[in-house]
Amino acid sequence: MRELVFALEYEPGCNRVADALADHPDARVRSLSLHATAEQLWRVDHATGTPDALDAIEDAFLTSDYYADCLATEDCGATQTTRVLDRTDDTLVLYSDWERTPSCASVPHIARDHLGESVLFETRHEGRHYTWRLIHSGEGDVAAFFDALEVAVGDCARMEMLRTADTTASVGGSDETQSGLSPEQEAALRAAVEHGYYESPREVDVGELAEHLDVPRSTLTYRLRRAEEHLAKQHVADERLPEDPSATR
């Protein structure tokens, strides 16, 4: 089995969920379940954030002209249903069902076409970044998948490869550094350290660092956040490892 992780960074106005999340940087949406057949897609999503953020996310899901996963740039005639399953002050759970038409396009359906029918999906949406994690057999054509995805997203989003690896491999894969970070995350983290981003007080802010690296501010923020999350989890996991018995002898 192979793992494939990539992100789509949506341009303003191309995805209402991304627009809502961009307006509420501390909000998150992650998939609890996502399934797709040739004609249909259904999923359950869990959103966290302030009440105002959840109102915006709920409105984006319930009133969008196009389903959040649809990559069509014009009305494709698809039928969608979205229902609120649960709502508290800081969480929102949504169920969505989408019946596609021949002109519809989505990440899951493009994946089915090029990676096979038995693909597992996991998503995480924050700001304008929509991260997809796919588990597939490894027998499909990954290059053809990305070519078709690039055509489908057009000018609405930029794609960034984060990781591709054998799911049975140790930490790190063919597109990762030894730290387990993607090359883009590693470069962002190194630049942040070298330019004093982590000094107290900071010698450079994220906007200045983004300008130096010639990347959008939101992209740099996303890469640093993912790198910090990975390293923090890795540190905690390493602390939990049992001590080598020979070290105490």
Side-chain angles (χ1 to χ4, degrees):
M1 301 294 289
R2 298 284 298 176
E3 177 188 36
L4 179 62
V5 185
F6 64 94
L8 299 176
E9 183 182 3
Y10 281 99
E11 296 293 332
C14 288
N15 183 292
R16 283 197 58 192
V17 175
D19 291 340
L21 289 169
D23 290 337
H24 301 276
D26 293 330
R28 306 282 186 273
V29 179
R30 63 183 177 90
S31 60
L32 298 179
S33 181
L34 197 168
H35 306 275
T37 65
E39 296 82 20
Q40 196 170 19
L41 183 151
W42 62 97
R43 60 184 296 162
V44 177
D45 289 290
H46 180 274
T48 58
T50 64
D52 287 345
L54 297 183
D55 286 342
I57 293 169
E58 181 178 339
D59 182 67
F61 269 90
L62 295 179
T63 63
S64 293
D65 292 332
Y66 311 112
Y67 180 68
D69 279 330
C70 184
L71 300 175
T73 56
E74 298 179 356
D75 188 357
C76 60
T79 301
Q80 75 171 65
T81 302
T82 300
R83 292 188 290 272
V84 176
L85 298 183
D86 189 33
R87 174 74 189 261
T88 66
D89 289 341
D90 56 2
T91 62
L92 172 68
V93 181
L94 295 156
Y95 169 82
S96 301
D97 180 271
W98 172 36
E99 294 184 12
R100 69 189 301 227
T101 65
S103 59
C104 288
S106 73
V107 171
H109 290 111
I110 295 173
R112 282 175 53 89
D113 290 342
H114 297 283
L115 304 179
E117 297 182 357
S118 302
V119 183
L120 301 179
F121 304 95
E122 181 181 47
T123 68
R124 181 170 181 168
H125 207 162
E126 53 186 293
R128 300 198 182 282
H129 285 83
Y130 196 7
T131 303
W132 286 82
R133 179 173 181 258
L134 279 57
I135 304 295
H136 61 102
S137 67
E139 297 178 356
D141 190 335
V142 174
F145 163 72
F146 275 112
D147 287 344
L149 183 59
E150 185 175 10
V151 171
V153 300
D155 296 329
C156 283
R158 294 191 308 108
M159 291 190 298
E160 179 178 343
M161 171 66 76
L162 300 178
R163 182 169 64 255
T164 176
D166 192 316
T167 56
T168 60
S170 57
V171 175
S174 58
D175 284 354
E176 292 182 327
T177 62
Q178 291 183 349
S179 64
L181 303 175
S182 72
E184 293 82 5
Q185 292 168 351
E186 176 84 14
L189 200 61
R190 286 184 179 276
V193 172
E194 291 171 359
H195 290 272
Y197 178 75
Y198 291 109
E199 297 297 326
S200 184
R202 284 178 173 167
E203 298 175 2
V204 65
D205 63 29
V206 70
E208 293 169 330
L209 188 59
E211 184 176 350
H212 173 75
L213 294 174
D214 194 26
V215 297
R217 179 191 179 105
S218 62
T219 298
L220 178 61
T221 301
Y222 172 80
R223 290 174 181 174
L224 288 175
R225 185 179 296 159
R226 292 280 69 79
E228 292 162 2
E229 177 187 12
H230 174 81
L231 294 178
K233 289 180 177 178
Q234 186 179 62
H235 175 73
V236 172
D238 289 344
E239 283 190 334
R240 291 174 179 170
L241 292 176
E243 293 184 0
D244 184 354
S246 62
T248 60
R249 292 176 183 173

